[in-house]
Amino acid sequence: MTIQRLNPTPRWSDATVFNGIAHFVEVPNNTQVPMAEQIAQILAQAEATLAAIGSDKAQLLSATIYITDKENVPALNAAWADWLPEGCAPSRACIKVELLDPAMLVEIAFVAAVKR
């Protein structure tokens, strides 16, 4: 059994896949925008990563969401509900944290099944 790494760098890979399970983290590219736009960026990036590894958002198993302000939870929940296919919500944790970039309002770690 081998570990597949998508776009590995010295510090991280865009995704790692082992035994049909993928792990990846998405952060917003533009942190100078409000929470709703940061979430939209992350969800679009997640879809692209899922496609690159042969999966899709219906195959998500879990998500760990890191937010810096609990006031942003309604925006997060609205975007999340609109993005996921009905009946496909993964298990989820949402944790209030201080992220390394103070302008970053959200970061999401995903785990997904790979259909290959």
Side-chain angles (χ1 to χ4, degrees), residues 11-26:
R11 292 189 308 165
W12 69 78
S13 294
D14 287 346
T16 55
V17 180
F18 179 74
N19 235 8
I21 304 294
H23 298 262
F24 62 99
V25 176
E26 301 293 356

Side-chain angles (χ1 to χ4, degrees), residues 90-102:
S91 61
R92 181 180 117 164
C94 190
I95 304 161
K96 184 180 175 293
V97 299
E98 179 180 342
L99 296 171
L100 291 177
D101 176 351

Side-chain angles (χ1 to χ4, degrees), residues 34-105:
M35 179 67 159
E37 292 177 47
Q38 289 193 25
I39 294 167
Q41 291 173 46
I42 286 174
L43 298 179
Q45 292 165 200
E47 279 195 63
T49 299
L50 288 162
I53 60 173
S55 191
D56 61 52
K57 57 190 173 183
Q59 303 302 310
L60 288 172
L61 301 173
S62 70
T64 304
I65 303 169
Y66 303 95
I67 60 169
T68 59
D69 185 342
K70 67 182 180 178
E71 298 299 318
N72 287 326
V73 171
L76 166 69
N77 285 341
W80 190 253
D82 288 344
W83 182 67
L84 286 170
E86 184 154 342
C88 293
S91 61
R92 181 180 117 164
C94 190
I95 304 161
K96 184 180 175 293
V97 299
E98 179 180 342
L99 296 171
L100 291 177
D101 176 351
M104 190 181 301
L105 304 175

